[in-house]
Amino acid sequence: STDEKLSLTKLDIDLLKNTFKNTNIPIIQSPKSIVDGIGNIGVIYNGNPYLTLYLSLAALRTHNKIYFFVNDSCLATNNLLVNMLNRIIEKFNYGKDIIKLYNGISEKEIIESENLLDMFLYIGDKHEYIKFKKKTSIPITYNGYENAVFYIETAEKFNNTLVEINNYVFKHNI
């Protein structure tokens, strides 16, 4: 019967509830309390869905709204995540449009919208971050890419790759 089947919505809700277990930050109680942290956080990043999910849940736990700015990278997956999370948030009356995803927005448009944001989180290339930081007046936090995955077949190719990475880091003063 339909009552015996566990719906996707129920699984989504349980997943979100379990996220808040064992934290000292209380679950959001009402829509009015949703933005009592930093406020509205803009995230400029490469569209990694793991980051979308992680940062969305972190924003919820810390009572902030979050706005993701991506350029076509993993767009369908990110739309699914954002829509699913917003449905759950609305179902429990935590608020509306707590998480937003913007695709294809130019850097100029992002900077023009900075009056709606309280801070930026820039994840990615350090040189692009430095250029962006010079153009904005609100606080901005930078986080570089944390890791990379390489598939290298032989020790010789591995050593050559390490030399290339070392040269790149030295050349770009990273």
Side-chain angles (χ1 to χ4, degrees), residues 82-99:
V82 168
N83 289 333
M84 179 183 75
L85 289 168
N86 277 324
R87 273 194 351 252
I88 295 167
I89 293 164
E90 288 178 34
K91 182 168 182 149
F92 285 94
N93 296 317
Y94 291 158
K96 204 169 178 108
D97 295 326
I98 305 302
I99 306 164

Side-chain angles (χ1 to χ4, degrees), residues 68-81:
F68 293 103
F69 299 99
V70 299
N71 284 313
D72 297 324
S73 180
C74 300
L75 187 58
T77 304
N78 283 316
N79 270 328
L80 176 69
L81 287 170

Side-chain angles (χ1 to χ4, degrees), residues 99-110:
I99 306 164
K100 290 191 174 195
L101 179 70
Y102 296 96
N103 179 49
I105 305 291
S106 70
E107 184 179 274
K108 181 182 176 190
E109 291 173 299
I110 294 171

Side-chain angles (χ1 to χ4, degrees), residues 45-46 123-125 142-147:
Y45 71 126
N46 66 352
I123 302 171
D125 183 84
Y142 169 73
N143 189 352
Y145 296 114
E146 292 186 13
N147 55 42

Side-chain angles (χ1 to χ4, degrees), residues 146-152:
E146 292 186 13
N147 55 42
V149 176
F150 294 98
Y151 174 75
I152 302 170

